[in-house]
CSV table of all heavy atoms in Angstrom, one decimal:
chain,number,residue,atom,x,y,z
A,1,PRO,N,29.1,9.3,5.5
A,1,PRO,CA,27.7,9.7,5.8
A,1,PRO,C,26.7,9.2,4.7
A,1,PRO,O,27.1,9.1,3.5
A,1,PRO,CB,27.7,11.2,5.9
A,1,PRO,CG,28.8,11.6,5.0
A,1,PRO,CD,29.9,10.5,5.1
A,2,THR,N,25.5,8.9,5.1
A,2,THR,CA,24.4,8.6,4.1
A,2,THR,C,23.2,9.5,4.4
A,2,THR,O,23.0,9.8,5.6
A,2,THR,CB,24.0,7.1,4.1
A,2,THR,OG1,23.5,6.8,5.4
A,2,THR,CG2,25.2,6.2,3.8
A,3,SER,N,22.5,9.9,3.4
A,3,SER,CA,21.4,10.7,3.5
A,3,SER,C,20.4,10.5,2.4
A,3,SER,O,20.7,9.7,1.5
A,3,SER,CB,21.8,12.2,3.5
A,3,SER,OG,22.4,12.6,2.3
A,4,THR,N,19.3,11.2,2.3
A,4,THR,CA,18.3,11.0,1.3
A,4,THR,C,18.9,11.4,-0.1
A,4,THR,O,18.4,11.0,-1.1
A,4,THR,CB,17.1,11.9,1.5
A,4,THR,OG1,17.4,13.2,1.8
A,4,THR,CG2,16.3,11.3,2.7
A,5,SER,N,19.9,12.3,-0.1
A,5,SER,CA,20.6,12.7,-1.3
A,5,SER,C,21.8,11.9,-1.6
A,5,SER,O,22.5,12.0,-2.6
A,5,SER,CB,20.9,14.2,-1.3
A,5,SER,OG,21.9,14.5,-0.2
A,6,ARG,N,22.1,11.0,-0.7
A,6,ARG,CA,23.3,10.1,-0.8
A,6,ARG,C,23.0,8.7,-0.2
A,6,ARG,O,23.5,8.3,0.8
A,6,ARG,CB,24.5,10.8,0.0
A,6,ARG,CG,25.9,10.3,-0.4
A,6,ARG,CD,26.9,11.2,0.2
A,6,ARG,NE,28.2,10.8,-0.2
A,6,ARG,CZ,29.0,10.0,0.5
A,6,ARG,NH1,28.6,9.5,1.7
A,6,ARG,NH2,30.2,9.6,0.1
A,7,LEU,N,22.0,8.1,-0.8
A,7,LEU,CA,21.5,6.9,-0.3
A,7,LEU,C,22.4,5.7,-0.3
A,7,LEU,O,22.4,4.8,0.5
A,7,LEU,CB,20.2,6.5,-1.0
A,7,LEU,CG,18.9,7.3,-0.6
A,7,LEU,CD1,17.8,7.0,-1.6
A,7,LEU,CD2,18.5,7.0,0.8
A,8,PHE,N,23.2,5.6,-1.4
A,8,PHE,CA,24.0,4.4,-1.6
A,8,PHE,C,25.4,4.7,-2.1
A,8,PHE,O,25.8,4.3,-3.2
A,8,PHE,CB,23.2,3.5,-2.6
A,8,PHE,CG,23.4,2.0,-2.4
A,8,PHE,CD1,23.5,1.5,-1.1
A,8,PHE,CD2,23.4,1.1,-3.5
A,8,PHE,CE1,23.6,0.1,-0.9
A,8,PHE,CE2,23.6,-0.3,-3.3
A,8,PHE,CZ,23.7,-0.8,-2.0
A,9,PRO,N,26.1,5.5,-1.4
A,9,PRO,CA,27.4,5.9,-1.8
A,9,PRO,C,28.5,4.8,-1.8
A,9,PRO,O,28.3,3.8,-1.2
A,9,PRO,CB,27.8,7.0,-0.8
A,9,PRO,CG,27.1,6.5,0.5
A,9,PRO,CD,25.8,6.0,0.0
A,10,PHE,N,29.5,5.1,-2.6
A,10,PHE,CA,30.7,4.2,-2.5
A,10,PHE,C,31.6,4.5,-1.4
A,10,PHE,O,31.8,5.7,-1.0
A,10,PHE,CB,31.5,4.3,-3.8
A,10,PHE,CG,32.8,3.5,-3.8
A,10,PHE,CD1,32.8,2.1,-4.1
A,10,PHE,CD2,34.0,4.1,-3.4
A,10,PHE,CE1,33.9,1.4,-4.0
A,10,PHE,CE2,35.1,3.3,-3.3
A,10,PHE,CZ,35.1,2.0,-3.6
A,11,PHE,N,32.2,3.5,-0.7
A,11,PHE,CA,33.1,3.7,0.3
A,11,PHE,C,34.1,2.6,0.3
A,11,PHE,O,33.7,1.4,0.2
A,11,PHE,CB,32.5,3.8,1.7
A,11,PHE,CG,33.3,4.4,2.8
A,11,PHE,CD1,34.0,5.6,2.6
A,11,PHE,CD2,33.5,3.8,4.0
A,11,PHE,CE1,34.8,6.1,3.6
A,11,PHE,CE2,34.2,4.3,5.0
A,11,PHE,CZ,34.9,5.5,4.8
A,12,GLY,N,35.4,2.9,0.4
A,12,GLY,CA,36.4,1.8,0.4
A,12,GLY,C,37.8,2.2,0.9
A,12,GLY,O,38.0,3.4,1.2
A,13,PHE,N,38.7,1.3,0.9
A,13,PHE,CA,40.0,1.6,1.3
A,13,PHE,C,41.1,0.8,0.5
A,13,PHE,O,40.8,-0.2,0.0
A,13,PHE,CB,40.2,1.3,2.8
A,13,PHE,CG,40.2,-0.2,3.1
A,13,PHE,CD1,41.4,-1.0,3.0
A,13,PHE,CD2,39.0,-0.8,3.5
A,13,PHE,CE1,41.4,-2.3,3.3
A,13,PHE,CE2,39.0,-2.2,3.7
A,13,PHE,CZ,40.2,-2.9,3.6
A,14,VAL,N,42.3,1.4,0.5
A,14,VAL,CA,43.4,0.7,-0.1
A,14,VAL,C,44.5,0.8,1.0
A,14,VAL,O,44.8,1.9,1.5
A,14,VAL,CB,43.9,1.3,-1.4
A,14,VAL,CG1,45.2,0.6,-1.8
A,14,VAL,CG2,42.9,1.2,-2.5
A,15,SER,N,45.1,-0.3,1.4
A,15,SER,CA,46.0,-0.4,2.5
A,15,SER,C,47.4,-0.8,2.0
A,15,SER,O,47.5,-1.6,1.0
A,15,SER,CB,45.6,-1.3,3.6
A,15,SER,OG,46.5,-1.5,4.6
A,16,ASP,N,48.5,-0.4,2.7
A,16,ASP,CA,49.8,-0.8,2.3
A,16,ASP,C,50.2,-2.1,3.1
A,16,ASP,O,51.3,-2.6,2.9
A,16,ASP,CB,50.8,0.3,2.6
A,16,ASP,CG,50.9,0.7,4.1
A,16,ASP,OD1,50.2,0.1,4.9
A,16,ASP,OD2,51.6,1.7,4.4
A,17,VAL,N,49.3,-2.6,3.9
A,17,VAL,CA,49.5,-3.9,4.5
A,17,VAL,C,48.2,-4.8,4.4
A,17,VAL,O,47.1,-4.2,4.2
A,17,VAL,CB,49.8,-3.8,6.0
A,17,VAL,CG1,51.1,-3.0,6.2
A,17,VAL,CG2,48.7,-3.1,6.8
A,18,PRO,N,48.3,-6.1,4.4
A,18,PRO,CA,47.1,-6.9,4.2
A,18,PRO,C,46.1,-6.7,5.4
A,18,PRO,O,46.5,-6.5,6.5
A,18,PRO,CB,47.7,-8.3,4.3
A,18,PRO,CG,49.1,-8.2,3.8
A,18,PRO,CD,49.5,-6.9,4.4
A,19,VAL,N,44.8,-6.7,5.1
A,19,VAL,CA,43.8,-6.6,6.0
A,19,VAL,C,43.0,-7.9,6.0
A,19,VAL,O,42.5,-8.4,5.0
A,19,VAL,CB,42.8,-5.4,5.7
A,19,VAL,CG1,41.6,-5.4,6.6
A,19,VAL,CG2,43.6,-4.1,5.6
A,20,ASN,N,42.9,-8.6,7.2
A,20,ASN,CA,42.3,-9.9,7.3
A,20,ASN,C,40.8,-9.9,7.3
A,20,ASN,O,40.2,-10.8,6.8
A,20,ASN,CB,42.8,-10.6,8.5
A,20,ASN,CG,44.4,-10.8,8.5
A,20,ASN,OD1,44.9,-11.1,7.5
A,20,ASN,ND2,45.0,-10.7,9.7
A,21,SER,N,40.3,-8.8,7.9
A,21,SER,CA,38.8,-8.8,8.1
A,21,SER,C,38.4,-7.3,8.3
A,21,SER,O,39.2,-6.5,8.6
A,21,SER,CB,38.3,-9.7,9.2
A,21,SER,OG,38.9,-9.3,10.4
A,22,LEU,N,37.1,-7.1,8.2
A,22,LEU,CA,36.6,-5.8,8.6
A,22,LEU,C,35.1,-5.9,9.1
A,22,LEU,O,34.4,-6.9,8.7
A,22,LEU,CB,36.6,-4.8,7.5
A,22,LEU,CG,35.7,-4.9,6.3
A,22,LEU,CD1,35.4,-3.6,5.7
A,22,LEU,CD2,36.3,-5.8,5.2
A,23,GLU,N,34.7,-5.0,9.9
A,23,GLU,CA,33.3,-4.9,10.3
A,23,GLU,C,32.7,-3.7,9.6
A,23,GLU,O,33.2,-2.6,9.7
A,23,GLU,CB,33.1,-4.7,11.8
A,23,GLU,CG,33.5,-6.0,12.6
A,23,GLU,CD,33.3,-5.7,14.1
A,23,GLU,OE1,33.0,-4.6,14.5
A,23,GLU,OE2,33.4,-6.7,14.9
A,24,VAL,N,31.6,-3.9,8.9
A,24,VAL,CA,30.8,-2.8,8.3
A,24,VAL,C,29.6,-2.5,9.2
A,24,VAL,O,28.8,-3.5,9.5
A,24,VAL,CB,30.4,-3.1,6.9
A,24,VAL,CG1,29.7,-1.9,6.3
A,24,VAL,CG2,31.6,-3.5,6.0
A,25,SER,N,29.5,-1.3,9.7
A,25,SER,CA,28.4,-1.1,10.7
A,25,SER,C,27.5,0.1,10.2
A,25,SER,O,28.0,1.0,9.5
A,25,SER,CB,29.0,-0.8,12.1
A,25,SER,OG,29.9,0.3,12.0
A,26,GLY,N,26.3,0.1,10.6
A,26,GLY,CA,25.3,1.1,10.3
A,26,GLY,C,24.0,1.0,11.0
A,26,GLY,O,23.8,0.0,11.7
A,27,ALA,N,23.1,1.9,10.8
A,27,ALA,CA,21.8,1.9,11.4
A,27,ALA,C,20.8,0.9,10.7
A,27,ALA,O,20.9,0.7,9.5
A,27,ALA,CB,21.2,3.3,11.5
A,28,SER,N,19.9,0.4,11.5
A,28,SER,CA,18.8,-0.5,11.0
A,28,SER,C,19.4,-1.6,10.0
A,28,SER,O,20.4,-2.2,10.3
A,28,SER,CB,17.8,0.4,10.2
A,28,SER,OG,16.7,-0.3,9.9
A,29,PHE,N,18.8,-1.8,8.9
A,29,PHE,CA,19.3,-2.8,7.9
A,29,PHE,C,20.4,-2.2,7.1
A,29,PHE,O,20.2,-1.4,6.2
A,29,PHE,CB,18.2,-3.3,7.0
A,29,PHE,CG,17.5,-4.5,7.5
A,29,PHE,CD1,16.3,-4.5,8.2
A,29,PHE,CD2,18.0,-5.8,7.2
A,29,PHE,CE1,15.7,-5.6,8.7
A,29,PHE,CE2,17.4,-6.9,7.7
A,29,PHE,CZ,16.2,-6.8,8.4
A,30,LEU,N,21.6,-2.5,7.5
A,30,LEU,CA,22.8,-2.1,6.8
A,30,LEU,C,22.8,-2.9,5.5
A,30,LEU,O,22.7,-4.1,5.5
A,30,LEU,CB,24.0,-2.4,7.6
A,30,LEU,CG,25.4,-2.3,6.9
A,30,LEU,CD1,25.7,-0.8,6.6
A,30,LEU,CD2,26.5,-2.8,7.8
A,31,THR,N,23.0,-2.2,4.3
A,31,THR,CA,23.0,-2.9,3.0
A,31,THR,C,24.2,-2.6,2.2
A,31,THR,O,24.7,-1.4,2.2
A,31,THR,CB,21.7,-2.4,2.3
A,31,THR,OG1,20.6,-2.8,3.0
A,31,THR,CG2,21.7,-3.1,0.9
A,32,ILE,N,24.8,-3.6,1.6
A,32,ILE,CA,26.0,-3.4,0.7
A,32,ILE,C,25.8,-4.1,-0.6
A,32,ILE,O,25.0,-5.0,-0.8
A,32,ILE,CB,27.3,-3.9,1.4
A,32,ILE,CG1,27.2,-5.4,1.6
A,32,ILE,CG2,27.5,-3.2,2.7
A,32,ILE,CD1,28.5,-6.0,2.1
């Protein structure tokens, strides 16, 4: 979740198998 008190939080994953790609999705202008 993101909110006015959590505008730019960290989010990530560690996998036990290789990940070839991912889609990052969000409302309006998604920013990373």
